[in-house]
Amino acid sequence: MFSLYFHFRRPAMCLKGLSYLPVITIILTLGTFILSYILAVLKKDVNAYFPYISDTGTKVPESCVFGQLLNMASAISICTLYVRYKLVKSIVQPEDDSILKLNKHAFFWGILSPLGLSLVANFQETSVEIVHVIGATMVLGFGVVYEFLQTAISFQMHPSYNGLRICKVRLVISIISVIGFLTSTASAVVSRIQGHPEDKLHWKPTDGGFAAHITSTISEWVTALAFIGFFFTFISDFRKLNINVEAQLQVRHLDEHYVPYDDVNEESRLIV
């Protein structure tokens, strides 16, 4: 009886507070990549060996799944980034000015990453390539910037607000991400210079630039998985946090005309 109770309680304990936000972000993003990859390979729309993540969401029906789930992941990830921002802002003291400034910068640059994810989801590379490439660069590029800013915040919060181990974990993930991003970008440029097949979704070992292409795709997957892994580091922190939304009505009736107190002057109507 106790064993069954423990097993049923364990998932609930893992999702205490707002920890479900990074969990949902991870599940949606990783699930999208896996599902669209399986569909694309089964339909032979891409080669099974390391296509670009975006290649797996180019053709119907996988493009529909890819777009819908990534839009959802983008929205949830913005909520996750906002909660992380509020968590840091709430726990540090007002005199920790450098942490608060870094926190604002991290939130700003971090928001650009899920916005880029939405562009990737809605603009397929075979349809509007330039927008798709911009979106992909925003996802991974600004994602890497966000990781390093959050890592810097974590180190500055040590030892008053968090331990050293989480700082080291976030640093390792950030380093893996930036190496993967730079390698993927550089290899993609090299593969373009060396040549590419007419069908960009089906590369062959005999095609010019094939080795550079495979290096680029593998690096992209590594960067994406590292970025997803970074969200894992938020789960423990989010378990200790709850956010309440409080409504403050400024009128007694919703049809009343609301004039902010600061806007009242000699020209304001006495009766509204």
Side-chain angles (χ1 to χ4, degrees), residues 120 132-143 181:
V120 169
H132 184 89
V133 171
I134 291 173
T137 304
M138 289 173 63
V139 174
L140 300 180
F142 291 128
F181 175 68

Side-chain angles (χ1 to χ4, degrees), residues 11 23 31 49 63-64 85 106-107 131 133-134 139 153-154 161 174 189 192 195 205 209 243 245 253 255 260 263:
V23 170
Y49 46 85
S63 62
C64 304
Y85 165 77
F107 180 63
V131 178
V133 171
I134 291 173
V139 174
I153 290 171
S154 300
Y161 307 109
S174 300
V189 173
R192 285 290 185 101
I243 290 180
V245 178
H253 191 285
D255 289 341
D263 294 341

